[in-house]
Amino acid sequence: MVRFSAGRLLESIVVLGVMTFVVYVLIGLMPGDPIDLMIAADPNLTSADAARLKALHGLDKPIVERYWNWLSNAVQGDFGYSRTYTKPVLDVLFPRLGNTLLLMSLSLIFALALAVPIGIYAALHPYSKTDYAINMFCFAGISIPSFWFALLCIILFAVHFEWLPAGGMETVGRGDLLDRAQYMVMPIFVLTISSVGSFTRFMRASMVQTLRQDFIRTARAKGVGTTRLLVGHALRNALLPLVTIVGLSFGNLFSGALITEIMFSWLGMGKMMYDAILGNDFNLALIGLLFATGATLLGNFLADVSQVVLDPRVSFASRENER
Amino acid sequence: MSVIAQPSLQSPTRRMWRRFLQHRLALCSLIGLVFLCLLAMSAPLIEMLLGVDANTANLFARFQGPSLQHPLGTDELGRDLLLRLLYGGQVSLAVGIVAALFSAVIGTVIGLIAGYQGGMVDRVLMRFNDAVIALPLLPLLIVLAAVDLNKLGLPASIVESENISLYRIVVIIALVGWNTVARLVRAETLALRQREFVRAAVALGAPSRSIILRHILPNAVSPIIVATTLSVGNIILFESILSFLGLGIQPPTASWGNMLTNAQELIWSAPLLAVWPGLLIFITVIAFNFLGDGLQDALDPRALD
């Protein structure tokens, strides 16, 4: 157990390490560099100044050396300054991260609260009309482009009915709980719809498979009541794969949050990253991407470990062989 | 219920067809997709029949309602909406299908090598695969789409070509989209390697290349087809998001995604402009997903009749 987890953790750390380099190089390949931007902004800068500034910030050095400098500062907790906010990037990142986590966790809770009962219902009535309809809705949720769905919601609820604000975090001058909740309704709704479909399908599949197992028949034969059979015997087993799927869906949730935040001007990490990439704020884009990568890797790691922790039938040895 | 299974009188291919035809949604999706592709390809013909040019702006004819000349009306520059949707469809469908095929090829090669070679090669490739799966896809795609091709040292003739945004998006999606196919093909290859006919071929001294190409690959085709079909929908979604954000297909070339970029600014004055492109993305993606689902049922020999 410990060996397995330690191995997986080490692997994730190695991947994160490699990704810091890949992302650093990619960010370096984006158009423009910080000094060119300063020259464009200030006509008094001469080319000699520019060269001196480039030397000062180490931009004349090869990319590997720059990466090494960045990394040695980063491990000491110094990730550099944001160009657009003129603040240390972590000071920009953390409030944004909080907003994103709020969005992600609430929509994850709603998605699961919908997916689990709906999935169970569908599994209990396989190939019925309702099951068919649920399946259709799941496919629709998976296939709908979330940015378009967000746009439709804005057109309908903000432009047409004027029930909800079209975007932002709070009304200037109000900002009480009710006000902020109004701003949250649409982003959370859109993000929930984008993940509920696949969760429901997994829940249904896993429940159907569990109900076919021998121990369910045995339990029924010895007279266990329906509720107890479903909750105590079937659900506990059927939820195991869902735990894994939730862990693995971290990356998708981040992607979904990114597009949702952009659509609703939600001041989260996804929008921050997108603005940073478009605004040539290299340090900020870098830390945002690395944080997203780290969180996704963590989700995958937890999914892997939880599978072996929660399900004793998955032995570590077989898990290792399979991989 | 008879205890003894009836011997099947049908050939596997016919059984596959029958199962596929039973999956009504998949069948409808296939028909719908073929129709959509034909419609998109016949855009120049429709352009001729209507007597309008898809890319000419006409500021005197902005935001027109449906008419004989413009069946779906005109957009913010007075261009015909139907024609732009069809040309955009050509781009979106082509990107989706071509990028899916590219990633399928990359995935198949990696999966075959990993599964057949085993050992260290397998372990390294699968670790790499795990790593790519564990990346947050959309943020990464945005960075890849923002990379300055001049800094990559590509020749100017490529960087400045007209279709560069098209090539770029196919390449970056293929770069990150191969892992599902790779994982499936590897699993299939591992299983097939243990089968008698493959071991017999090895014992008879067949070279690895011919074992892989003639014995393993043909038997691993079903999961490749299913995964590729399912990935087309996802790729169209990603393409539309990137184009919508201004990082994918660049105007004036229309794609369903970048048509929505302008429509977003106009939701107060012309909300219908935002409805059509998104609806087409939605229909196309859901059709590919239904098709993939149907193919999975049809091609999986373990599926129950």
Side-chain angles (χ1 to χ4, degrees):
Chain A
M1 169 67 217
V2 173
R3 227 189 106 230
F4 173 77
S5 311
R8 284 292 287 118
L9 189 64
L10 193 70
E11 231 164 61
S12 305
I13 291 171
V14 169
V15 172
L16 187 63
V18 173
M19 277 313 286
T20 59
F21 182 67
V22 173
V23 170
Y24 192 91
V25 172
L26 282 177
I27 299 265
L29 284 171
M30 291 199 316
D33 77 53
I35 306 301
D36 290 343
L37 288 165
M38 281 169 84
I39 298 172
D42 184 355
N44 293 327
L45 274 178
T46 62
S47 55
D49 291 334
R52 213 175 56 240
L53 275 170
K54 281 194 185 189
L56 178 70
H57 291 286
L59 285 169
D60 52 348
K61 300 206 178 75
I63 186 103
V64 180
E65 207 178 318
R66 267 155 56 196
Y67 169 70
W68 187 248
N69 283 337
W70 175 84
L71 190 68
S72 32
N73 286 332
V75 289
Q76 295 168 37
D78 175 14
F79 291 92
Y81 273 76
S82 152
R83 193 182 72 81
T84 38
Y85 294 86
T86 58
K87 277 200 285 192
V89 285
L90 288 183
D91 291 358
V92 182
L93 178 81
F94 284 130
R96 295 301 197 99
L97 186 65
N99 287 339
T100 296
L101 287 180
L102 181 69
L103 198 64
M104 272 173 62
S105 50
L106 281 176
S107 60
L108 188 62
I109 290 170
F110 283 123
L112 287 174
L114 285 171
V116 172
I118 296 179
I120 292 174
Y121 184 86
L124 292 179
H125 306 84
Y127 307 110
S128 68
K129 283 223 169 79
T130 329
D131 181 29
Y132 207 67
I134 290 172
N135 192 32
M136 287 286 284
F137 272 107
C138 289
F139 266 100
I142 295 168
S143 309
I144 199 163
S146 51
F147 65 101
W148 178 63
F149 187 49
L151 207 56
L152 287 188
C153 287
I154 294 174
I155 292 178
L156 197 64
F157 298 119
V159 177
H160 189 71
F161 290 122
E162 298 184 13
W163 288 343
L164 292 166
M169 306 269 304
E170 57 181 48
T171 316
V172 179
R174 266 191 75 192
D176 50 294
L177 204 61
L178 185 71
D179 180 58
R180 297 188 59 177
Q182 283 188 339
Y183 280 88
M184 268 194 253
V185 174
M186 281 204 288
I188 288 176
F189 177 60
V190 169
L191 201 53
T192 304
I193 292 295
S194 69
S195 50
V196 75
S198 61
F199 286 166
T200 309
R201 275 173 62 81
F202 271 108
M203 188 67 226
R204 178 190 179 278
S206 148
M207 194 72 181
V208 164
Q209 218 162 37
T210 312
L211 287 174
R212 280 204 202 119
Q213 307 228 331
D214 289 343
F215 69 86
I216 295 289
R217 200 177 36 198
T218 311
R220 192 170 275 161
K222 68 178 194 194
V224 175
T226 313
T227 318
R228 206 176 129 64
L229 184 81
L230 286 180
V231 178
H233 290 78
L235 186 60
R236 287 183 60 167
N237 284 283
L239 278 177
L240 290 175
L242 200 68
V243 174
T244 315
I245 293 304
V246 169
L248 292 177
S249 71
F250 258 54
N252 282 337
L253 263 177
F254 252 109
S255 298
L258 189 145
I259 196 83
T260 316
E261 286 169 7
I262 294 173
M263 293 308 294
F264 293 106
S265 312
W266 183 264
L267 298 179
M269 217 182 85
K271 186 168 157 51
M272 179 201 82
M273 260 190 304
Y274 174 69
D275 292 341
I277 289 168
L278 290 197
N280 287 309
D281 195 340
F282 301 105
N283 281 338
L284 196 59
L286 192 59
I287 192 76
L289 256 167
L290 290 180
F291 241 85
T293 311
T296 319
L297 285 170
L298 185 70
N300 282 266
F301 169 71
L302 291 178
D304 259 17
V305 173
S306 70
Q307 201 185 9
V308 277
V309 172
L310 294 177
D311 193 345
R313 286 170 303 182
V314 183
S315 74
F316 310 115
S318 75
R319 188 86 182 99
E320 292 266 336
N321 286 340
E322 181 198 316
R323 287 159 51 78
Chain B
M1 205 167 94
S2 71
V3 180
I4 304 160
Q6 296 276 322
S8 173
L9 298 173
Q10 289 171 314
S11 76
T13 321
R14 282 199 53 188
R15 203 163 57 224
M16 261 176 226
W17 256 114
R18 194 168 48 78
R19 272 211 223 102
F20 182 71
L21 294 180
Q22 272 172 358
H23 201 298
R24 241 173 289 156
L25 274 173
L27 193 64
C28 294
S29 302
L30 182 64
I31 295 169
L33 284 172
V34 169
F35 177 70
L36 197 65
C37 287
L38 288 179
L39 203 64
M41 278 192 290
S42 60
L45 197 71
I46 298 172
E47 199 172 10
M48 230 164 58
L49 285 176
L50 292 173
V52 286
D53 186 79
N55 281 320
T56 314
N58 177 4
L59 294 178
F60 295 108
R62 301 168 65 194
F63 304 124
Q64 281 186 355
S67 65
L68 260 184
Q69 200 185 10
H70 304 291
L72 291 180
T74 58
D75 69 358
E76 74 279 3
L77 292 175
R79 295 170 296 194
D80 184 76
L81 190 57
L82 176 69
L83 284 175
R84 296 220 0 118
L85 282 174
L86 293 182
Y87 278 112
Q90 284 185 359
V91 172
S92 295
L93 285 165
V95 167
I97 292 168
V98 173
L101 289 177
F102 267 124
S103 16
V105 170
I106 299 175
T108 307
V109 171
I110 291 181
L112 283 173
I113 293 174
Y116 194 80
Q117 287 288 326
M120 203 54 207
V121 179
D122 180 32
R123 224 170 305 157
V124 170
L125 283 176
M126 282 305 109
R127 268 314 83 83
F128 183 50
N129 193 25
D130 285 354
V132 176
I133 290 177
L135 298 177
L137 208 48
L138 189 58
L140 199 68
L141 281 176
I142 289 178
V143 175
L144 281 172
V147 163
D148 184 355
L149 292 178
N150 288 312
K151 287 197 185 175
L152 270 182
L154 289 178
S157 57
I158 298 180
V159 175
E160 276 149 30
S161 82
E162 203 180 322
N163 291 328
I164 185 66
S165 63
L166 240 147
Y167 302 146
R168 173 207 281 263
I169 203 149
V170 169
V171 169
I172 61 176
I173 288 177
L175 275 182
V176 291
W178 49 268
N179 37 55
T180 316
V181 172
R183 206 156 28 91
L184 291 172
V185 170
R186 170 186 174 265
E188 203 69 25
T189 310
L190 278 179
L192 286 166
R193 270 203 70 173
Q194 306 302 323
R195 297 275 293 273
E196 287 84 355
F197 66 92
V198 174
R199 297 172 76 162
V202 175
L204 287 170
S208 298
R209 202 174 65 97
S210 93
I211 295 175
I212 291 177
L213 291 181
R214 298 191 52 181
H215 298 290
I216 292 184
L217 185 58
N219 284 298
V221 153
S222 323
I224 299 177
I225 293 177
V226 173
T228 308
T229 313
L230 287 172
S231 75
V232 176
N234 265 333
I235 292 172
I236 291 180
L237 276 183
F238 276 120
E239 181 271 319
S240 68
I241 291 177
L242 287 179
S243 299
F244 174 73
L245 295 176
L247 294 163
I249 309 294
Q250 299 297 325
T253 306
S255 90
W256 290 334
N258 72 24
M259 288 175 75
L260 281 165
T261 315
N262 293 332
Q264 189 195 13
E265 312 288 320
L266 301 163
I267 49 172
W268 270 269
S269 47
L272 266 185
L273 284 183
V275 173
W276 289 111
L279 194 64
L280 282 173
I281 301 172
F282 178 46
I283 291 173
T284 312
V285 173
I286 205 172
F288 272 109
N289 283 340
F290 280 138
L291 186 63
D293 199 46
L295 284 173
Q296 191 154 35
D297 286 354
L299 295 179
D300 185 357
R302 280 155 298 185
L304 299 168
D305 264 85

